[in-house]
Amino acid sequence: MRRSELPKRELIGQRQSTAGRERLPAGGLELFALLARLLRRPRRGDRRLPLLWLVRSDTADLMVPLRRFLGQGPRRRVPHAVLDADAPPGAGDVPALLRELHRQLSLEAFGAARLRFRHYPLAEWLMQQSLSLGIDADDSRAALVRRLRDRRGPRTPEALPSGGDAVSIVSQVLLWLVRRAVPGVVFRAAVSGRVPVLGRHYNWFMRQQYLAPRQSVTFLGFAERLTAGWRDGEQPDQVNKLLLHAFLEDLRQAYRRRPWRPSDWRRTAYPALLIDNVAPGNVGGELVRLIGDVRTETGRNDPLLVIASGGQPPPELPEPHPLTEADEAFDEWVDALPEMRRLRRPAAWLVALRPDDTDTGPPSRAGVRPFSAPDPPWWSRRFLPAALCLLLVAALGVWVGSRWGPGCHPSLTGGRISVEVVGKGECVGYSDSAAQVFNNDPGQEGLRTVQRRIFAQNRAAEEVWQRSDQRRPFLTLVYLGTLTGNLTRADEESYVSEREELEGMATAQYALLKESAGADGAALLRIVVANGGRQMIYADRAVAMLAELARDDPTLLGVVGLVESRTSTARALRELNQVGLPVLAPTLSADKMDANSRLYLQISAPNKDQVKLVDAYAKQVLKVNEAHVFYTTLEGSTLTEDLYVGTLVDGLRQQFGPRITRLDEWRTGQRLTDECGYAGMLFYAGRWSEFDGFLRALRECGGNPPRHLVADDSANRYMANPGLRAAAPGNLPVTYVSKAALATCAALRAAQDRRDDARASFLSWIQADDLLDPPRCRTGAEEEQVGERVSLAYDASMMLVRAVESLAARLHHADPRQRWEPDSVNPVGVHAEVLRQNAGQGYPGVAGLIRFTPDSGEPVDKRLALMRVEQVPDVARAPVEVFRCGAADASGPAACGPA
């Protein structure tokens, strides 16, 4: 059965007298069936409504039956208005038509609560105001302010109180002052746009797109431009679109369905506008055109069904459909609308219908029953709101308790914050302000301190951008890491890697803030800190929140971090790839991580290069032919899930082959006495969190420890933790892989001496008093080392920043002082620019040259080194580089060899 057949049966009335019977043209019943379908509002969601253009013929005038169809419903009538383009009201222009349309739809005459308008009456009122052009601008503004305040409610003059005792007089004076002052304060707060609740309709004018409201800075400035005389310099078409947009916005708000307002759900039929005698050149045709333009340009739907009757439709429309095919014409339009809106086709919203002149049969003589709005749902009745509110409050309390908790809550003071409590109380989500700082565990003050530093620099970056008249490129990067979930002691820092990576990003942000105020091409950086939970288990939830942020914030251009190579991290990469956000991972090194995202770039060398480094060291320096390998995975994880350990172990098997005479998984509590005095290479291929227990197990060897203990790069997280190192055996030297040997204090000072500007600048930043806590590389008794991941995260951030600056320079080459438009670049374009810049000599990173091939996100010949610590408990002595592979600079060698 066709969808229009059932409504058509409902439309046909009982037998009527000849006088009351409607003589409809062929297809008339199909048209009214379509109208009934369109007017009836769905119980869920809303439909897009077309602009119906009924082509009038000499024998068929449908306006009379249309008026009866809409206006004579037996119960709840359809809110509707009727206009005649041949006899327009008032001045006969679009504003006059809108005034009449507003008057008719505002009547409480349709069996339901009347439609209320807030934006359109304000815009119309402002256009009726006249401010003298010759008076001082401040006086003109003051006059407009007084009128706006009086429009909200005229002030009645009150005499100062007199008489009575002193207390009475003082209290009356205070009351008089409150009555005089409070309305003015409330009004100023409402029009300022700074108070979220007050003045939302004023704020709407500053957010909508017509007449460039941001050029006026404040609503009062924009309101002045709308007054008579002052708007003469504006385009009339834009003024009309603003009026119409405000009118349609009021309809949208009137037809919003909010759970706490059952009255919203009582609107079960869309309002309709009938316009007679419409032609492409008259005011009726102009109104129809503007409605379509506003819908297309704003991208927003509205609940107004427009039915225009007149001559031939606009020439850009295809041939009108006959009335008998009304249902099919509408379905075709629904399918074609998204593409027509995307291409911004003229008359994209129009559906033209004509009587079928080829139908030679007699016109339909069936009566058409007037349309009545459907009955509202039972739960929207007036006696239910109180019970519903109580239920919602109870449910909200339960929901809030499960979603948020102490140290994990949405911000009430602004900022980009979206968080929720998951699993065992972990706070997952993102934040860009101090209103939400991740991890309130004891001993993690360093992690919290660097977050607060970043959030303070976020505010500073936005202030500098505003002071630069928004000319400097402005971008947002997300740090996504593991900021919660580890079991720690009160004196143990368990998030060294995350803290160091945040410090690296903070250093990049700080360096950009120190650029000259006149450097319009220098970018400014805002950092959003995001938490994916322990082992990135909840990264999918964090990515879902970031996807929403990316849709809302065009400055968001990339993600830095991810910390650990796991299957959950790989899943997060795939989801970020779908969102379209490039990822630069400072320390991930599991092989083939780039297979999970075409927008993934890795700053550190992959595990296959680490394996070659260790093999070359064993052959060239240790001169050993066999190795014992022990690997670990965290509790609840496996080699399959831990991609870092899994690919590292696979690489060792392939590289060493039969030279590996023992390959075992080590678990906490397992004894290692068999390794005492071992003359080959004892290689630790596990996570840093078990390395402490591994070293403790080797204490049983006493004075006969293994000769050559070598650890993977994860061990540097252990080496950065003085509290853990204190319990290690003092007679067991450890050699471990470093991804940032070029960024140690000694290496940076050497680079400064040879006038390496990039590394010298980095050294000066990390030594600054107002950045890292504590500052790094200060000469003294206890020099604070840089940290393995600081330079890597700095390089990742600066690569993205330099790509944005390069794009901005090409966009603004004709006018370097042009304002920065965040929409002018996108994340995919920034990723392509990073690859373009690295296609030649590579990017000169602080931690080594970064070069990519076109088909891979893994770096080529990235510098790796082996660092040696003679006595692990001695944290005052810096590690010494003993072996290296990969290129330091564009001109340097990439071969492996002793340091």
Side-chain angles (χ1 to χ4, degrees), residues 598-791:
R598 60 185 177 84
L599 301 176
Y600 172 78
L601 295 174
Q602 188 170 295
I603 305 302
S604 297
N607 277 352
K608 60 184 179 182
D609 290 355
Q610 184 173 166
V611 168
K612 293 176 182 177
L613 167 76
V614 173
D615 185 31
Y617 177 68
K619 292 177 178 177
Q620 298 180 30
V621 177
L622 301 182
K623 309 293 186 180
V624 297
N625 292 321
E626 67 174 57
H628 290 177
V629 176
F630 289 89
Y631 65 88
T632 69
T633 57
L634 290 177
E635 182 182 355
S637 182
T638 64
L639 270 183
T640 303
E641 296 171 345
D642 193 331
L643 300 178
Y644 169 76
V645 176
T647 58
L648 182 60
V649 170
D650 288 343
L652 290 167
R653 284 197 188 102
Q654 296 175 12
Q655 186 73 23
F656 282 78
R659 287 183 293 155
I660 296 181
T661 56
R662 183 177 183 182
L663 176 61
D664 287 331
E665 179 179 7
W666 183 84
R667 295 185 177 277
T668 301
Q670 180 180 339
R671 302 182 67 185
L672 292 172
T673 52
D674 292 344
E675 304 302 318
C676 296
Y678 177 59
M681 183 178 68
L682 176 61
F683 188 75
Y684 178 81
R687 290 287 181 180
W688 73 275
S689 51
E690 284 87 12
F691 191 55
D692 178 50
F694 189 81
L695 291 180
R696 287 171 182 265
L698 290 174
R699 293 187 69 171
E700 291 190 70
C701 293
N704 186 32
R707 304 287 180 83
H708 309 294
L709 174 59
V710 181
D712 58 23
D713 71 279
S714 180
N716 67 70
R717 297 178 70 175
Y718 169 86
M719 302 304 293
N721 195 318
L724 294 178
R725 289 176 60 175
N731 64 339
L732 179 61
V734 174
T735 304
Y736 63 95
V737 178
S738 172
K739 298 172 180 176
L742 291 170
T744 63
C745 293
L748 290 174
R749 289 196 187 96
Q752 187 180 45
D753 293 340
R754 63 175 181 268
R755 298 187 178 182
D756 183 335
D757 289 341
R759 294 187 175 98
S761 296
F762 177 76
L763 177 61
S764 67
W765 302 139
I766 62 176
Q767 288 176 330
D769 290 323
D770 56 345
L771 178 59
L772 303 183
D773 184 19
R776 309 300 156 81
C777 299
R778 294 276 189 90
T779 56
E782 294 185 4
E783 180 181 67
E784 189 73 23
Q785 296 300 311
V786 180
E788 173 82 2
R789 288 163 167 77
V790 177
S791 59

Side-chain angles (χ1 to χ4, degrees), residues 115 260 359 362 603 898:
L115 296 171
W260 62 90
D359 195 331
I603 305 302

